[in-house]
């Protein structure tokens, strides 16, 4: 079974392949993820994604079977890294959209992407995945796509948050499904259970639950003592 | 001396701090780089950048002196990594702009950013810098800003290339300075001298010198055998 849904299960904190193992214990799980807007794939524009699976030979064979002239899946073995990256990028897209909605500038948005990448690496390492997966298509590739494109539903939702609207108001205005809204509290619980420092996930969670506004969070981030970057 | 110019010297292939060492041998070099459009800095929007210097204490002191409420420099020690990232991002911005100019889609652009990150890491490692610098503000942060923003001069120049215009035509039309145009042949020479595999730099060089067009290069990339990503 090739899993292409993204997210973490509310309550259990399970990844998609853990849900699959519960529902269909005999299924062999593969995870497909990477920068690929449906509209680009459908239009035959060049798209490169990651296909992660446990058996190297089978994964390469499946990648070749799924490949077409414009759709290129690259085989990899770190299912955990690919699944966590796919889930968390939607949380960070909410944050990046909020930066744009609050008119804080493209520079701040890119600083946030660099911080998100570091936080995602801490999460993946704590889950037993490989941080190096994140430099590939399913990590960095998908993060930059989702976090910089108004085509992304999560980014759009974040923009509305950045303009000061509440989740309830945004939903009442007929916003499209933004998976990050469901993923954020689960990601926050996961970070806490793993004892991972995840200030961005926490900040998005606080904004979504109405406990903080963007201006307060940004002011807090900007007034922290200047530590070394390395 | 705090170096904020980006690029590599034609002929010598020198980094900015090597040029400084020639011109002012007694000066202590620091390198300031990161996602920071001048318009954002000037407007007081939140900006976080890297300040790299050899002495940890002095660099932290200088970072604190340069910091303001909205401009946050973070001290680091890898001058080489920061200088190479600052120079090469302009080359990759040309490529990303060309992807947009050729209407190949945001998904392809993000796949290219992931590939650029890996290529930049090979270059930095070969130069004696640290690839881990690239996950920070001066690497990933600045790469995502320059490679996704039409505000970037290099990105704009790339868009014109992607529409099929030659360098001569773009310049004749009054295009603004795009440092990447000068940096690309030097980066290509540097990659060859270090024996680093740098297909993206080579491709940009080929397009700039009129030896290849975008469509041919993309077709070549998409028809390569599917290797494993890891």
């Amino acid at each position: 079974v090739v899993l292409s849904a993204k997210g973490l299960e509310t309550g259990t904190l399970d990844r998609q392949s853990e849900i699959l193992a519960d529902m269909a214990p005999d299924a062999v799980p593969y995870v497909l993820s990477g920068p690929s807007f449906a509209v680009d794939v459908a239009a035959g524009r060049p798209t490169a994604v990651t296909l992660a699976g446990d058996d190297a030979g089978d994964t390469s064979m499946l990648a070749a079977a799924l490949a077409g002239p414009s759709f290129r899946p690259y085989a990899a073995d770190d299912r955990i890294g690919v699944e966590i990256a796919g889930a968390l990028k939607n949380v960070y897209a909410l944050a990046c959209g909020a930066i744009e909605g609050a008119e804080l500038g493209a520079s701040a948005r890119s600083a946030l992407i660099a911080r998100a990448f570091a936080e995602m690496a801490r999460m993946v390492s704590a889950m037993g995945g490989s941080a190096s997966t994140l430099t590939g298509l399913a990590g960095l590739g998908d993060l930059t796509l989702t976090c910089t494109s108004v085509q992304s539903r999560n980014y759009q939702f974040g923009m509305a948050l950045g303009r000061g609207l509440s989740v309830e108001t945004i939903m009442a205005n007929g916003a499209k499904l933004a998976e990050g809204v469901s993923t954020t509290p689960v990601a926050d619980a996961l970070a806490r259970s793993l004892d991972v420092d995840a200030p961005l996930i926490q900040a998005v969670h606080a904004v979504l639950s109405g406990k903080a506004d963007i201006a307060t969070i940004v002011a807090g981030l900007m007034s922290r003592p200047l530590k070394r970057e390395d």
Side-chain angles (χ1 to χ4, degrees), chain A:
Chain A
V1 170
V2 178
L3 298 159
S4 58
K6 311 283 187 299
L8 299 162
E9 192 174 50
T10 303
T12 64
L13 317 185
D14 278 352
R15 291 174 284 111
Q16 300 293 321
S17 63
E18 293 173 304
I19 300 170
L20 179 67
D22 283 346
M23 307 291 290
D26 295 335
V28 179
Y30 296 88
V31 181
L32 188 73
S33 194
S36 48
F37 282 139
V39 63
D40 288 331
V41 176
R45 298 192 192 104
T47 319
V49 298
T50 300
L51 179 72
D54 297 337
D55 182 274
D58 287 352
T59 309
S60 292
M61 213 152 54
L62 183 57
L66 291 171
S70 63
F71 183 75
R72 313 293 284 175
Y74 289 83
D77 62 6
D78 179 19
R79 272 199 293 114
I80 294 175
V82 170
E83 285 185 278
I84 295 296
L88 294 186
K89 55 132 195 189
N90 289 328
V91 177
Y92 300 127
L94 291 171
C96 286
I99 294 275
E100 176 160 343
E103 297 181 6
L104 293 169
S107 303
R109 188 180 70 178
S110 277
L112 196 149
I113 292 174
R115 296 308 190 213
F117 185 84
E119 184 171 292
M120 199 153 75
R122 291 194 294 275
M123 288 289 280
V124 166
S125 297
M127 297 285 292
S130 164
S132 69
T133 298
L134 298 182
T135 62
L137 295 160
L140 182 50
D142 207 6
L143 183 70
T144 60
L145 181 67
T146 312
C147 287
T148 64
S149 303
V150 288
Q151 290 175 64
S152 150
R153 290 181 302 269
N154 291 285
Y155 192 87
Q156 284 173 12
F157 203 103
M159 285 177 68
L161 288 171
R163 287 190 210 105
L165 302 183
S166 69
V167 171
E168 294 69 29
T169 308
I170 301 169
M171 298 299 285
N173 288 348
K176 285 191 208 155
L177 171 78
E179 305 94 320
V181 177
S182 313
T183 304
T184 299
V186 191
D188 194 2
L190 191 61
R192 287 171 202 273
S193 77
L194 296 165
D195 203 21
V196 170
D197 182 36
L200 295 179
I201 294 171
Q202 280 174 27
V204 174
H205 194 186
V207 171
L208 285 176
S209 50
K211 290 182 185 145
D213 60 37
I214 312 284
T216 310
I217 284 172
V218 169
L221 288 172
M222 299 306 282
S223 61
R224 289 199 309 188
L226 282 167
K227 290 189 295 190
R228 287 188 65 82
E229 185 175 29
D230 47 13

